[in-house]
Amino acid sequence: MADPATYRPAPGSIPESPGVYRFRDPAGRVIYVGKAKSLRQRLNSYFADFAGLHPRTQTMLTTAASVDWTVVGTEVEALQLEYSWIKEFDPRFNVKYRDDKSYPYLAVTMGEDFPRVQVLRGAKRKGTRYFGPYSHAWAIRETVDLLLRVFPVRTCSAGVFKRAGQIGRPCLLGYIDKCSAPCVGRVTPEEHRALAEDFCDFMAGNTGRFIKRLEREMREAAAVEEYERAARLRDDVQALQRALEKQTVVLGDGTDCDVIALAEDPLEAAIQVFYVRGGRIRGQRGWVVDKVEEATPGELVEQFLLQMYGEATIPREILVPARPPDEAALIELLSEQRGSRVDLRVPQRGDKKSLMETVERNAKESLAQHKLRRASDLTTRSRALQEIADALDLDQAPLRIECYDVSHIQGENVVASMVVFEDGLARKSEYRRFSIRTGEGDVASIYEVICRRFKRYLEERAATGELDAGTDDEAGRDATGHGGDGYDANGHGGDGYDANGYGAAGRGGAATPIDPETGRPRKFAYPPNLVVVDGGPAQAAAAQRALDELGIDDIAVCGLAKRLEEVWLPGDDQPVILPRSSEGLYLLQRVRDEAHRFAITYHRTKRSKSLKESALDHVPGLGPARRQALLRHFGSVKRLREASAEEIREVPGIGRATAEAIVAALRGESPSPAGQGS
């Protein structure tokens, strides 16, 4: 018997979305399938209080060895998927529905003179249209009750229908307008059949035209002041919309297709496939693969299809997230293997698009779960750090890694980022960002940011008495001369506190020194074991040169080139090649990509801010209130630029000197010396 604590999902790893989950035994067999409005709440309830569970549930938990789940969009989708999986896996701890006869269908008896809407179980009958199956009859009855407002089709039995015709009085539903009462001749057989056909069209997914028609009639009724009729039509629209929310997302009758979606990052890709047969989801499967080379979504789809359908059964339709580069050739190959035409499509709208979005959510969840397991595995992280130490010939594993990246567009708004990983995990409270002053290329920018960061490191150590080092007043100031060096991940002057409020400390090392005057940790006083820069040999050499000039010789440096994922050491002519499957390379890639993301985020923020600046921002003595007053007075910057100093002085609060400064700023001139205005 297994201990449920051994396979309990990590805290926070379970999504709060609706979904379906599976418990498996040590052999991988599914022993229980369940659904939930919130997967996190439901699965946590299994592990929170074992003693308080039902004995059958306790037996199931001790028999199981693992649990997994699939995210869906709505509860109805969860119902449908639960049904499909119970049919497929026949789990021993589920209530068993042996065949389709156990599941209710919504049926419309179109073969009768007066079609009837009803819930049916059992073998299908000729001349009857079926919708479903549903896991619960109440789900059908709620939907029917809503739709009868708009499509008042007969629902009574043959005996009730016959008796109402004999006595000339309809049943209760006829009096409350939820039946058109064909039994007493309120509508002709043709009119009633038209209502039944509209009902079937709505259930088959042709919903838009009915809602649009009712909305049009509602507006027309309101226009002629028939407000009571307009209100009834409004309620009908709301009833149809509520019914739509209750419908399952399975496709039309006879639809056989595979729905493929992917989620990717620069390192890995997750593929999810939902198998739809007869309009219902019959199964699901997922893969996570390392991206050996740069590939577009279409190329990933093409590679997957070739491997997936080498031996598997090919459906007549395959829905994909992106078209493969050689689409025609791939379709021809798949059609030849199947023996008939295979359609490869990217869904754009409707139920297939909705189902594709559900599969895509599952692919993203699968990738997130994979990365969480890989990053949180202590053994894996330890192996990655040791592989890096061995590859770079370090004395010890790099418990603290700092990575630097530069971001700009054609040399404008140049910024740099610094991210910190400790014990192989991101430490976001230690992230910093820099405004680059030189802007002379990536190599010069790397040299500058390393100099500034480690000058601060020396200053902090000197302040604590650990060494005697001179200070540089320019260290830690951004391009505007303000103390912008080392902004944290939120854009503030980071104080180095960690997520719990304690002074940041490197794992396996001493705590960050505390400033005795402020009582706060010194932001740059803790050094890394390894500095990684985004780039090749030139960037690595620039970082090493900066450290050498500062007299720092106990910090290792390397560069990670993005194109071939080569690791460059300063002064080496050949790169260090780590295997693609190496955990060490995986960690370096994660660190580099996080630095790239953080740099781009800051660059976009700075660029956006610069685009919003105007020449008025730099006029001395002209604050936001006066700028707004100027724009209100003149209406636009163009008219303000055409105005003279005397005209500008008409604005309250603008003196002669300020007016002349405004004219000079807007026309690119130097202001003439003048007396002070008031």
Side-chain angles (χ1 to χ4, degrees), residues 337-353:
Q337 292 179 349
R338 186 177 188 270
S340 61
R341 172 74 180 180
V342 174
D343 291 325
L344 206 62
R345 297 178 179 174
V346 179
Q348 302 293 331
R349 63 184 68 85
D351 289 343
K352 292 181 179 179
K353 176 67 172 176

Side-chain angles (χ1 to χ4, degrees), residues 149 210-239 241:
R149 283 186 56 94
F210 297 107
I211 294 177
K212 289 179 181 178
R213 185 189 70 190
L214 291 175
E215 289 177 340
R216 183 179 65 253
E217 293 176 358
M218 177 183 67
R219 289 191 295 269
E220 292 172 353
V224 297
E225 299 183 357
E226 295 181 4
Y227 298 119
E228 292 185 1
R229 180 169 175 265
R232 286 195 300 271
L233 291 169
R234 177 204 60 199
D235 294 341
D236 290 348
V237 171
Q238 293 174 350
Q241 291 172 340

Side-chain angles (χ1 to χ4, degrees), residues 616-638:
L616 295 178
D617 295 341
H618 304 291
V619 177
L622 191 65
R626 289 185 177 183
R627 288 199 296 269
Q628 290 297 324
L630 284 167
L631 292 176
R632 282 196 301 268
H633 181 82
F634 289 98
S636 68
V637 175
K638 180 180 179 181

Side-chain angles (χ1 to χ4, degrees), residues 139-152:
I140 307 176
R141 294 191 177 98
E142 287 183 356
T143 299
V144 171
D145 186 61
L146 290 168
L147 294 181
L148 288 180
R149 283 186 56 94
V150 185
F151 310 109

